[in-house]
Amino acid sequence: MYIVFEGIDGAGKSTQIQMLKEWLEANGFRVETLVEPTDSEVGKLIRRILQRHDAQTDSVQKTLGLLFAADRMLIMDKLNDESKIILSDRSFISSLAYQEPAEWIEVLNRYAKKPDLLLLLDLDVKKSVARTSGEDTFENEEFLTKVKANYLDLVEKYEHQIIDANNGVNKVSSDIKKAVAPYLGICPDCIR
Ligand SMILES: Nc1ncnc2c1ncn2[C@@H]1O[C@H](COP(=O)(O)OP(=O)(O)O)[C@@H](O)[C@H]1O
Ligand SMILES: [Mg+2]
């Protein structure tokens, strides 16, 4: 099963993937976690380009669109490993939420694997800025508001659950467990 976590920075993806991984392993499942961009050569290049002072210009954004698509093409086989539950921090859906134009991003990601379950960690934009201490000047409130709205539209195309990420860590974690449980034959009422 390929479970994708999406949401703006600070939504709690890294935190919640770790918590869900531990819980699933305690329940006897084999779990693999992934982060996009990956640690491949292309992923490293993406991270470097994201640091550039001109990262927000149209030409660099389009370059990033190409590189993100290439980076995830490299991990395609990993995603089809049926012996494990794969928890992925971001996916092609991030490209669709963050980058333009949509039709072109869709073409680039035509062969990207669709999630079996998409968990959108939906966070208020002001909280994102506070949790990340506004470290990334590009991800200002106006931009994040657009990304958040894009996400809420995009999730409708996939099997998904929207998780209220404004709550405390433990409440978010138990909401995620309840969302995932039915797909894995775990009784949802057995979760705290
Ligand atoms: N539910 C929560 N409430 C308050 N702070 C949180 C919550 N979840 C995560 N955080 C904190 O917010 C920051 C970003 O969390 P992180 O899991 O790295 O988010 P993401 O991977 O989506 O960017 C971290 O400092 C983390 O400890
Ligand atoms: Mg993270």
Side-chain angles (χ1 to χ4, degrees):
M1 192 173 182
Y2 175 48
I3 303 178
V4 166
F5 286 67
E6 290 283 355
I8 56 180
D9 273 345
K13 300 179 295 298
S14 306
T15 306
Q16 294 299 331
I17 284 177
Q18 195 51 40
M19 291 173 83
L20 186 64
K21 177 181 197 280
E22 283 164 22
W23 180 73
L24 289 172
E25 285 176 343
N27 279 277
F29 293 95
R30 291 178 66 204
V31 179
E32 172 139 351
T33 59
L34 289 174
V35 185
E36 290 196 19
T38 72
D39 57 6
S40 74
E41 293 87 338
V42 181
K44 286 181 188 129
L45 184 55
I46 292 172
R47 288 175 208 275
R48 282 223 303 279
I49 292 179
L50 284 169
Q51 301 300 316
R52 280 168 61 144
H53 67 278
D54 61 348
Q56 65 272 55
T57 61
D58 188 55
S59 60
V60 177
Q61 280 298 304
K62 290 214 167 45
T63 303
L64 285 167
L66 289 161
L67 292 174
F68 273 113
D71 185 39
R72 67 179 64 96
M73 200 85 84
L74 281 172
I75 56 166
M76 220 157 61
D77 294 340
K78 252 191 189 173
L79 305 185
N80 290 317
D81 184 346
E82 307 244 311
S83 70
K84 288 177 187 156
I85 296 174
I86 296 161
L87 304 180
S88 184
D89 190 330
R90 299 193 177 276
S91 71
F92 72 97
I93 296 160
S94 288
S95 287
L96 291 169
Y98 284 81
Q99 277 152 346
E100 293 177 325
E103 318 79 66
W104 185 64
I105 298 292
E106 274 168 22
V107 170
L108 291 181
N109 290 282
R110 181 177 297 161
Y111 300 107
K113 188 173 169 72
K114 310 285 178 289
D116 296 310
L117 176 61
L118 167 58
L119 298 172
L120 176 60
L121 275 51
D122 189 35
L123 181 71
D124 289 349
V125 165
K126 282 194 165 36
K127 284 208 168 131
S128 164
V129 175
R131 284 189 195 175
T132 58
S133 46
E135 61 203 12
D136 200 335
T137 46
F138 173 48
E139 301 210 341
N140 56 37
E141 270 188 50
E142 189 189 337
F143 177 71
L144 289 175
T145 301
K146 198 176 84 185
V147 172
K148 180 177 153 85
N150 288 346
Y151 266 135
L152 288 167
D153 279 345
L154 282 165
V155 294
E156 295 300 328
K157 295 187 189 165
Y158 310 96
E159 180 75 17
H160 74 277
Q161 300 280 340
I162 298 173
I163 306 290
D164 185 350
N166 297 294
N167 293 318
V169 171
N170 291 326
K171 164 73 173 143
V172 175
S173 180
S174 88
D175 287 348
I176 289 174
K177 289 172 193 168
K178 285 186 182 123
V180 168
Y183 296 89
L184 300 171
I186 302 171
C187 149
D189 296 330
C190 310
I191 299 160
R192 281 186 298 118

